[in-house]
Amino acid sequence: MKEIDVVKKMIDDNQFDADVLLSILNSFGKDIALIPLLLLKGQKIIRSRINDSNDLFYEISDLSYPPAHCVTRTDRASLKGAPMFYASVFTKDAEKTGALPRIISALETLNILKEVHTYQQCFFTQSIWLAKEDIHLFAFPVSEKYKRECGELNLFRKGWETYCKDNYSVDSIEFFSYIGDLMATPGFSCIYEVTATCVDHIIRNFDIEGIVYPSVPSEGEGLNICLKPETVDSKISFEGAITEFVIRKDMESTIEIIAHAQMTSPTTFCWKVTKYGIELMKMSGYFQHIKENQEVILVPENEKKRFL
């Protein structure tokens, strides 16, 4: 297919041309082969963010999508300068073990978990969110590249074969199945520019609020979502957060919870430190803390007087 050959050449040469790709996408009009999906009200969502410079976060906005000026690169489902909310959802397989969603979300965010023959450590924060309303999403035709598929991918395929496939042209199915394969491919060359441009085009031109796609680091064992900021502001709510400390040594990783968020206002929180967190602070000197009723609490510097 000539359109696929054009995109393959972009990737082979690492020469992305947005105008050429947009021309291809526009040529399909409304004939874009996708799987419409709903993230149902009440669905739990987990999002991870690295604590740069070992600083803590104290506002819900710090754990949500970034401001536009901070979006300095193109990622799998979002363009440079265009904020989006990346997160993972709790699949039925993941709900059988409480640790799995945390691990998949961490894999998507922490590069040190993918490295070998290394010794590194860092702090990161994971936040839980809840869908207040149904959210309209889409997925590309599901790639066969995933080696450890979660059960939801089989449901996606069944829905595609039963309800969706006959609605699209052969050319559309072939092209967007190829894009689905790129979504399953680790990032290199200009792959992210291709996939993110396709996602952005679909969200802008259809009544869709984001994308669902399988986790590449977990080889399909988990599901990720990428939501528009307007959807985050109106359709999901912050439910809580934990700060964690990860140590990566050779092929082994240890992740420990050091603090739990406690709300201090509708938009801010402090941190109640765990026993592990207290021991870590004693050994390392990280984080100035205060005590309240025998509990160790971490608060912003300008809030300490209120607690003392």
Side-chain angles (χ1 to χ4, degrees):
M1 183 181 183
K2 67 178 182 179
E3 289 85 357
I4 292 178
D5 291 340
V6 169
V7 176
K8 283 183 176 178
K9 181 169 175 51
M10 287 186 195
I11 295 170
D12 290 343
D13 297 343
N14 194 17
Q15 294 290 328
F16 177 67
D17 190 321
D19 291 336
V20 170
L21 181 54
L22 287 171
S23 177
I24 292 172
L25 295 173
N26 286 325
S27 72
F28 286 103
K30 297 297 182 181
D31 180 29
I32 292 184
L34 50 81
I35 306 171
L37 298 165
L38 275 181
L39 186 71
L40 297 176
K41 177 181 178 180
Q43 173 71 55
K44 287 191 292 185
I45 301 164
I46 184 168
R47 174 172 164 82
S48 298
R49 183 178 174 188
I50 295 173
N51 293 62
D52 297 323
S53 305
N54 296 328
D55 290 332
L56 291 171
F57 304 114
Y58 292 101
E59 299 187 12
I60 293 175
S61 60
D62 291 332
L63 302 178
S64 187
Y65 56 85
H69 71 271
C70 291
V71 184
T72 57
R73 69 182 189 189
T74 292
D75 282 311
R76 190 176 296 277
S78 60
L79 296 170
K80 179 180 178 180
M84 294 287 277
F85 181 92
Y86 283 88
S88 300
V89 295
F90 284 63
T91 64
K92 291 189 181 299
D93 290 341
E95 287 176 349
K96 295 175 184 176
T97 163
L100 190 57
R102 285 177 53 209
I103 293 169
I104 290 172
S105 178
L107 276 171
E108 292 288 342
T109 305
L110 305 177
N111 288 330
I112 68 171
L113 295 180
K114 307 165 195 172
E115 297 182 8
V116 297
H117 308 305
T118 185
Y119 180 85
Q120 296 185 58
Q121 60 191 37
C122 74
F123 293 94
F124 71 107
T125 298
Q126 292 190 307
S127 50
I128 297 293
W129 306 72
L130 204 65
K132 299 186 295 183
E133 303 176 31
D134 292 349
I135 299 174
H136 295 267
L137 306 174
F138 82 95
F140 291 110
V142 180
S143 175
E144 299 290 340
K145 291 186 176 183
Y146 302 106
K147 297 177 181 178
R148 297 160 59 186
E149 296 185 354
C150 59
E152 279 78 1
L153 293 192
N154 287 326
L155 295 177
F156 289 4
R157 286 199 181 94
K158 288 179 181 178
W160 167 252
E161 293 291 336
T162 305
Y163 302 108
C164 302
K165 192 174 182 180
D166 292 342
N167 296 324
Y168 304 111
S169 69
V170 173
D171 285 348
S172 177
I173 291 172
E174 185 177 355
F175 182 80
F176 290 101
S177 293
Y178 170 68
I179 300 301
D181 283 341
L182 293 183
M183 291 294 292
T185 304
F188 74 96
S189 182
C190 57
I191 279 182
Y192 283 180
E193 282 77 8
V194 171
T195 57
T197 299
C198 291
V199 172
D200 182 74
H201 176 82
I202 292 169
I203 289 176
R204 286 178 182 275
N205 290 281
F206 292 79
D207 189 19
I208 290 175
E209 298 169 291
I211 183 174
V212 179
Y213 62 97
S215 165
V216 174
S218 72
E219 299 180 316
E221 195 170 6
L223 287 177
N224 295 326
I225 58 173
C226 188
L227 304 178
K228 297 192 300 185
E230 305 94 294
T231 300
V232 175
D233 293 341
S234 62
K235 289 193 173 184
I236 70 172
S237 61
F238 175 80
E239 297 295 314
I242 52 176
T243 292
E244 298 159 89
F245 185 64
V246 58
I247 299 174
R248 177 71 170 177
K249 185 177 181 181
D250 295 326
M251 295 290 290
E252 296 185 356
S253 300
T254 301
I255 300 177
E256 297 283 354
I257 299 173
I258 68 163
H260 295 267
Q262 294 188 323
M263 300 306 297
T264 54
S265 81
T267 60
T268 61
F269 44 83
C270 63
W271 295 97
K272 178 182 175 182
V273 184
T274 64
K275 289 182 179 179
Y276 179 87
I278 293 171
E279 292 302 314
L280 181 65
M281 287 191 298
K282 287 179 180 178
M283 291 187 296
S284 65
Y286 287 129
F287 310 131
Q288 294 297 313
H289 61 277
I290 61 176
K291 286 189 175 181
E292 183 188 51
N293 299 326
Q294 303 305 309
E295 292 182 347
V296 176
I297 303 294
L298 303 174
V299 298
E301 188 68 32
N302 60 358
E303 286 285 300
K304 284 187 178 180
K305 291 181 180 179
R306 187 165 65 85
F307 283 82
L308 292 173

